[in-house]
Amino acid sequence: MDKDTLISDMLGKDTIEKWDVMTSFDQAKLNEVLSQKYKDNILVSTVKCTFQYSDLLYGENISVDIDMKINEPVMEFIQGSESMCKLSMTIMSGEYRLSWTEDGESMTRKKKFPEGQVTLVCNVPIAAIHGSQNSQVSGSNTVINFMPEEKDSANFVLHFQNSDLMSSAVEAAGKGQGLPAPFSDPGFLNSFSTSIKGFFHDKVSSIDYTLTEITNEEVKPTFKLTPKSCIFKTNVDPDTKRKTLDIFIETEQNQSRGSEKAYFNAGGAKTALPEGYSASMVLSKNLLWNSYLEPQLEATQWKSITEETATEGVHISAKIDEKITVYKGESSWGFRPFEEELDLSQFPLKIVINKGKISMKWEIKYSLEYFHVWKLTKIGEYAEEGAVDLTVTCQKTSDLKFKTDGTENLHFEVGMTKDDITFEKKIIRSRGEYAQKYIDKAMEQFKNAFKPVNLKMDDLNVFALGNLLFHGAHKFKIDTINPFYVPRDLILFGQLEQ
C-alpha cells in the first residue's frame, strides 16, 4: 500500500500491542544483505558431501562424492508460518564422483553437474541466538529477555542446526522443466537431499546468516533506550503479499511489553512497510510519553496528566493543582476588599503531537467583575463597577525534525514562560477610569501563577547509529525529507542499508 493509506489506517490506534518499538525489514532487502555477505565470502559457496544410494536399474550400491558451487541464497518468508522461510540456492557448477564395485573390481566415474538447472531448497527456521545464554536458540514465539546491567545481544539468524524443523529438497531451476540426470533418479535425489540437510546442519554456521541484531550496548551520545526484551515474527501481508521481518522491543525505560502474540494492528494495514521503503520503525505513544514528555512536565509542577481521545495524533492534558486569589476591587474605607479564589486546575495545558509538529497551549477565559468604592466629602459615596472578559493565552509550536549535524537524532524543543503570555480583553461594561487598573492587576496575577514548561527531545538517536538495532553491519537510513508521522504512534520510514 502507499504511505498515505498506511498512515490513515494507523490514525488513533495503538498499533504495536503495547510494545515500545517495532521495526520492519523488507524481505527483498534482507536478500540483498545475504547477497552481499555471499560476495564478501562470509556465506558458504562450496558444498562438499558424501552419501550412498542404491541404483534401481543395476541394483548396485553407489557412493557419491559431491563438490559443487552454489549461487547466493534467496530467502522467502512463508505465509502462515511466523518462523520458517524457504532458502533457495542454484547449483552453478561442480562435479560428482560415483564409486561402486562391479564383479569385485572398484569402479569410479566423474561427471559434471548440469549448471544452473537445479536449485537446492532448504526450509529453514528463523531464530534468535541469544548471546548471554550460551547461544541457546529461541523460536519466534519466545520472548527474549536481556540480562540486566550486562552487555547482551540477540542475532536473528537462519537456524540450520534445528534438525526438527529444517528440511531440504531439490527443484528444477528452469520453469516447465523436469529435473535433469542424475536428479531424475529417485534414489539419487532422496539421498542427495538428505545429505544436503546434513551438510547445512553440520558445516554451516547460523551466525553467518544473521539477518539483523539487537544489542543493549550503550552508544554515545544518545538518549539511552535499553532493550529489556524482544520478540520477532515473519509477516506476509495477505492482501499486498509484502513480506517483512518484524521485531518488537520492550525497553527498560518504559517496560510496557505487550502480548507474546505480537503483531502490527492498524485496521486495514497489515504491515508497517509501505511502497518505496525497505525499512520502517514504529515508536509507541507510550514510549514517547513516558520516557520524554511526562517526566519533563512533572519536573515543572504540571501534573494530573491525562490523555484525551482523538482520531489523529496524541492529545495530552496537564494541570497545575493550585489556586490563586484574584483581586477584584477595593473600598476607600478599607473594610470592603473584593477577591475571588480561582482554581487553576480548571485550565489544563493542552499538548498535541501530530503531523510532524508538537504544540502546547494554555488558555484561561475569565470574566472579571470589578467594583471600586470611594467617598468624596460633601458629595457622598460614589462607586464604579464594571466587567471585562479576559482571555489569557500562552502557546508555542515546534517541528519534530532531525538535527542537521549528521547524527540523525530526532529533535524537538518547545518551551513557554510567562513572557509568552498574551491577553485579550473585551470590556462588557464600565463607567469610569478604573477598568484598566483591575485588568492589569489580574494579568499580573495570571502571569505569576504560570509555571514555565520546556519539552525537548534533543538526543533520541532512532537506532541509525546502532542503539538497540544495527550494532552489526546493517543500518536503518532514515528518510530525512519525509521522515516521520504521528497518527498516534510515531512511525519513521527509511531504507535498510549495509
Side-chain angles (χ1 to χ4, degrees):
M1 64 175 58
D2 61 84
K3 183 168 62 176
D4 291 341
T5 301
L6 169 62
I7 293 168
S8 177
D9 285 345
M10 292 177 66
L11 290 176
K13 297 182 179 69
D14 292 313
T15 59
I16 54 177
E17 295 298 299
K18 297 183 180 180
W19 291 83
D20 294 335
V21 180
M22 186 194 79
T23 57
S24 293
F25 307 130
D26 179 65
Q27 173 190 276
K29 194 66 180 183
L30 288 173
N31 274 321
E32 291 184 21
V33 171
L34 290 177
S35 176
Q36 186 59 50
K37 286 188 174 184
Y38 180 88
K39 293 173 183 176
D40 293 339
N41 298 317
I42 296 175
L43 306 185
V44 62
S45 59
T46 300
V47 177
K48 295 182 179 182
C49 57
T50 299
F51 63 88
Q52 292 185 337
Y53 81 103
S54 297
D55 186 284
L56 296 179
L57 182 61
Y58 298 102
E60 296 166 335
N61 291 321
I62 298 177
S63 178
V64 183
D65 293 301
I66 302 291
D67 186 351
M68 63 186 180
K69 297 287 185 181
I70 58 174
N71 202 359
E72 61 193 61
V74 177
M75 177 181 60
E76 181 179 358
F77 297 148
I78 302 170
Q79 188 168 355
S81 176
E82 295 177 338
S83 62
M84 295 296 297
C85 74
K86 177 181 176 182
L87 201 68
S88 302
M89 300 159 285
T90 301
I91 299 175
M92 300 309 295
S93 64
E95 63 180 21
Y96 58 101
R97 186 180 65 183
L98 306 176
S99 302
W100 71 96
T101 300
E102 186 175 329
D103 298 329
E105 184 177 353
S106 297
M107 309 289 289
T108 61
R109 182 179 300 169
K110 288 185 178 181
K111 291 187 176 183
K112 296 287 186 181
F113 272 114
E115 297 182 5
Q117 297 183 40
V118 178
T119 297
L120 308 181
V121 177
C122 297
N123 287 316
V124 184
I126 298 177
I129 296 182
H130 195 177
S132 67
Q133 298 184 358
N134 300 319
S135 294
Q136 294 181 9
V137 177
S138 302
S140 67
N141 291 318
T142 303
V143 176
I144 301 158
N145 294 303
F146 290 105
M147 300 296 291
E149 300 179 358
E150 293 183 17
K151 180 181 176 181
D152 207 350
S153 66
N155 285 273
F156 298 94
V157 303
L158 301 180
H159 181 39
F160 298 103
Q161 282 70 44
N162 194 321
S163 57
D164 293 334
L165 295 177
M166 181 188 167
S167 63
S168 64
V170 174
E171 295 179 354
K175 292 183 178 179
Q177 298 179 3
L179 286 169
F183 299 98
S184 54
D185 184 325
F188 182 96
L189 176 61
N190 292 336
S191 298
F192 175 81
S193 298
T194 301
S195 179
I196 290 298
K197 176 182 175 180
F199 173 83
F200 276 93
H201 180 276
D202 299 331
K203 304 294 185 182
V204 176
S205 173
S206 293
I207 199 71
D208 291 336
Y209 286 75
T210 298
L211 303 176
T212 189
E213 177 188 9
I214 290 181
T215 178
N216 64 354
E217 183 178 2
E218 182 179 346
V219 178
K220 296 181 178 180
T222 186
F223 178 87
K224 289 197 301 182
L225 287 177
T226 306
K228 179 179 174 63
S229 63
C230 63
I231 192 171
F232 75 93
K233 306 284 183 179
T234 61
N235 177 43
V236 182
D237 189 303
D239 299 322
T240 66
K241 306 305 179 185
R242 188 77 183 267
K243 300 175 181 180
T244 59
L245 174 64
D246 299 335
I247 299 174
F248 299 79
I249 304 168
E250 171 199 14
T251 66
E252 292 281 3
Q253 285 72 18
N254 195 36
Q255 299 190 34
S256 62
R257 192 182 83 194
S259 166
E260 293 185 7
K261 296 181 179 180
Y263 61 98
F264 181 68
N265 179 21
K270 299 300 188 296
T271 175
L273 207 57
E275 295 174 358
Y277 297 95
S278 60
S280 68
M281 182 176 296
V282 178
L283 281 73
S284 75
K285 183 274 302 180
N286 288 333
L287 174 67
L288 294 175
W289 182 244
N290 295 339
S291 297
Y292 278 95
L293 302 182
E294 188 172 27
Q296 294 181 54
L297 280 172
E298 291 188 342
T300 54
Q301 301 181 46
W302 290 91
K303 298 182 180 179
S304 303
I305 298 164
T306 58
E307 182 179 0
E308 299 179 356
T309 302
T311 58
E312 183 175 349
V314 179
H315 296 248
I316 302 293
S317 291
K319 298 178 182 179
I320 300 175
D321 293 327
E322 187 173 318
K323 296 178 181 179
I324 64 171
T325 300
V326 180
Y327 181 71
K328 301 180 66 174
E330 64 183 18
S331 168
S332 60
W333 295 100
F335 57 83
R336 293 175 62 190
F338 300 103
E339 296 176 335
E340 180 181 47
E341 188 177 70
L342 183 63
D343 185 358
L344 291 181
S345 66
Q346 300 177 62
F347 309 104
L349 174 69
K350 303 284 189 177
I351 303 166
V352 177
I353 308 175
N354 191 26
K355 296 182 177 178
K357 295 183 181 295
I358 178 170
S359 63
M360 294 193 297
K361 184 176 182 179
W362 185 60
E363 186 176 71
I364 294 178
K365 291 186 180 293
Y366 180 71
S367 295
L368 174 65
E369 295 186 1
Y370 63 92
F371 193 75
H372 187 87
V373 180
W374 73 99
K375 183 176 178 63
L376 295 178
T377 58
K378 297 182 181 180
I379 300 177
E381 185 177 87
Y382 282 81
E384 178 187 332
E385 60 85 24
V388 58
D389 286 344
L390 292 177
T391 300
V392 184
T393 305
C394 190
Q395 60 183 355
K396 283 290 185 67
T397 297
S398 174
D399 291 331
L400 278 70
K401 58 188 176 183
F402 288 106
K403 283 188 172 180
T404 57
D405 58 2
T407 61
E408 293 183 331
N409 285 351
L410 187 59
H411 172 79
F412 68 76
E413 183 169 3
V414 53
M416 300 190 306
T417 69
K418 64 181 182 180
D419 294 332
D420 296 310
I421 293 177
T422 60
F423 293 90
E424 293 181 9
K425 63 181 179 181
K426 180 181 180 182
I427 296 178
I428 305 302
R429 63 183 186 274
S430 177
R431 57 184 184 86
E433 59 186 271
Y434 288 96
Q436 191 61 46
K437 173 181 177 178
Y438 293 109
I439 292 172
D440 291 342
K441 186 67 176 178
M443 288 179 176
E444 188 64 25
Q445 289 176 290
F446 289 136
K447 275 193 173 185
N448 291 336
F450 179 73
K451 305 298 183 185
V453 58
N454 188 63
L455 302 179
K456 63 188 300 185
M457 178 192 288
D458 60 359
D459 55 2
L460 176 58
N461 183 290
V462 285
F463 322 130
L465 295 181
N467 198 26
L468 297 191
L469 290 171
F470 321 114
H471 191 69
H474 314 153
K475 287 188 177 182
F476 176 19
K477 184 67 174 178
I478 300 161
D479 179 0
T480 53
I481 298 177
N482 296 300
F484 44 78
Y485 300 83
V486 191
R488 177 174 169 85
D489 294 333
L490 185 149
I491 185 168
L492 304 102
F493 301 103
Q495 306 296 340
L496 182 60
E497 295 191 343
Q498 299 167 23

